Amino acid sequence: MFLSGCKSTPKKAQTKTEKDIYIKGVFITQNEIKPYLVKNTKKSIKGLANELDGCGITDVFLQTRAYGESLAKIKSFPQLSYVENKSFDVLSYIIKTFKEKSIRTHIWINPLRIKTDGTDKNELNKESPVYKVLSNSDTEDDSLVCFTESGIYLNPASDKAVGLITEEVREVINKYKPAGISFDDYFYPTADESFDSESYGLYKSLCESPLSLSEWRIANINSLISSVYTAVKFCDKDTLFTVSPAASAKRSKEELFADVY
């Protein structure tokens, strides 16, 4: 999947290289990068960098956390099992190798998604903050997560969930110095009222003039985006923060509660 764009170049900038003038990007999912990381990792990454460079790629959007585990070696989320025991930091090596080819790396995160193939907590990484919350019957952090019939998600209404995601972004920027942070699937996974009924009920009980469920959910997503944007620019004002919404702005707002407008 490629992104392409262009902008006019002032006369004084005519000496810039093509890679300085426009973006030709590719999104690489965790499933697509995994074969390069399992065996002959460094050799495979160098080969991938050469292949991307040969295609004129300027920017890679690398899916670093698709669910509850990350390619990054950070405290917020456990690392993926197939890279955690490597003798070197795989994500750092990817970014460095791509940079040698003048390819910028954007850390692509699916912020809310933890599990989409069932709701069994025992299938989660035992170091996951979500597993720890669900396994502690005395915890006060139950609002950290919400469930659908087929998945587990961080709760957009939870300050702790927003804080966890924001801290993840801070850690990644401070440790890896990527060109950018990119979000996908940052919206509500369902419009079902039962998804976050407990959090919404608590909100209404504490508010004299509560927002409607739809308005409240939109406000929660706005708060998440605002928190992350602020963290990104605080860590490094030159780091980009980009978001991939659903194609329809109307559907995004009315069904997914993401106010693209």
Side-chain angles (χ1 to χ4, degrees):
M1 179 177 179
F2 290 89
L3 296 179
S4 62
C6 61
K7 60 182 180 180
S8 59
T9 306
K11 289 183 178 179
K12 64 179 180 180
Q14 290 299 319
T15 57
K16 285 187 175 182
T17 66
E18 285 188 339
K19 287 189 176 184
D20 292 322
I21 297 171
Y22 70 95
I23 284 178
K24 185 178 181 181
V26 60
F27 286 88
I28 303 179
T29 67
Q30 279 188 355
N31 285 339
E32 289 167 336
I33 196 69
K34 183 177 179 179
Y36 293 90
L37 307 181
V38 175
K39 295 181 180 180
N40 299 319
T41 304
K42 290 187 176 182
K43 182 179 179 180
S44 296
I45 292 172
K46 286 184 177 180
L48 176 59
N50 289 333
E51 183 179 355
L52 295 170
D53 185 47
C55 293
I57 297 298
T58 64
D59 293 71
V60 166
F61 296 79
L62 179 63
Q63 192 175 37
T64 303
R65 183 171 69 81
Y67 297 98
E69 298 172 306
S70 177
L71 278 174
K73 192 172 185 179
I74 54 177
K75 295 179 180 178
S76 304
F77 289 89
Q79 197 171 28
L80 287 158
S81 59
Y82 55 86
V83 295
E84 66 178 343
N85 294 321
K86 298 286 187 182
S87 61
F88 60 98
D89 189 321
V90 171
L91 182 56
S92 180
Y93 187 79
I94 291 173
I95 293 173
K96 172 180 174 292
T97 305
F98 287 178
K99 188 174 183 179
E100 290 171 354
K101 296 293 183 180
S102 298
I103 298 172
R104 296 175 287 257
T105 303
H106 302 252
I107 301 301
W108 168 18
I109 295 171
N110 298 95
L112 301 174
R113 201 168 64 189
I114 298 297
K115 196 175 188 301
T116 59
D117 58 352
T119 58
D120 185 353
K121 69 178 182 183
N122 294 312
E123 294 178 357
L124 297 173
N125 188 307
K126 300 305 181 287
E127 296 302 314
S128 165
V130 174
Y131 175 81
K132 291 177 180 179
V133 164
L134 296 178
S135 299
N136 184 357
S137 59
D138 297 325
T139 185
E140 297 179 356
D141 298 334
D142 287 343
S143 64
L144 181 74
V145 296
C146 288
F147 298 85
T148 64
E149 290 184 358
S150 59
I152 304 174
Y153 296 81
L154 291 176
N155 179 7
S158 165
D159 289 339
K160 292 185 184 304
V162 172
L164 178 63
I165 295 165
T166 304
E167 181 58 25
E168 172 188 19
V169 168
R170 286 196 196 99
E171 282 192 89
V172 167
I173 293 176
N174 290 333
K175 183 171 185 176
Y176 294 100
K177 313 298 183 186
I181 300 292
S182 185
F183 271 11
D184 177 36
D185 278 8
Y186 68 104
F187 34 72
Y188 275 77
T190 178
D192 191 329
E193 293 184 7
S194 66
F195 176 73
D196 51 1
S197 58
E198 187 173 333
S199 293
Y200 185 55
L202 176 61
Y203 158 74
K204 289 197 296 182
S205 71
L206 299 173
C207 187
E208 291 185 4
S209 302
L211 299 171
S212 67
L213 177 61
S214 176
E215 292 171 331
W216 176 74
R217 285 177 169 176
I218 289 170
N220 291 334
I221 296 298
N222 282 346
S223 180
L224 168 63
I225 296 299
S226 177
S227 177
V228 171
Y229 178 85
T230 300
V232 169
K233 296 305 177 181
F234 179 82
C235 291
D236 183 353
K237 63 181 178 60
D238 293 324
T239 301
L240 299 177
F241 177 41
T242 58
V243 177
S244 298
S248 167
K250 183 175 185 293
R251 175 174 176 267
S252 289
K253 186 173 184 179
E254 296 180 0
E255 298 179 29
L256 305 175
F257 313 105
D259 190 0
V260 177
Y261 295 107

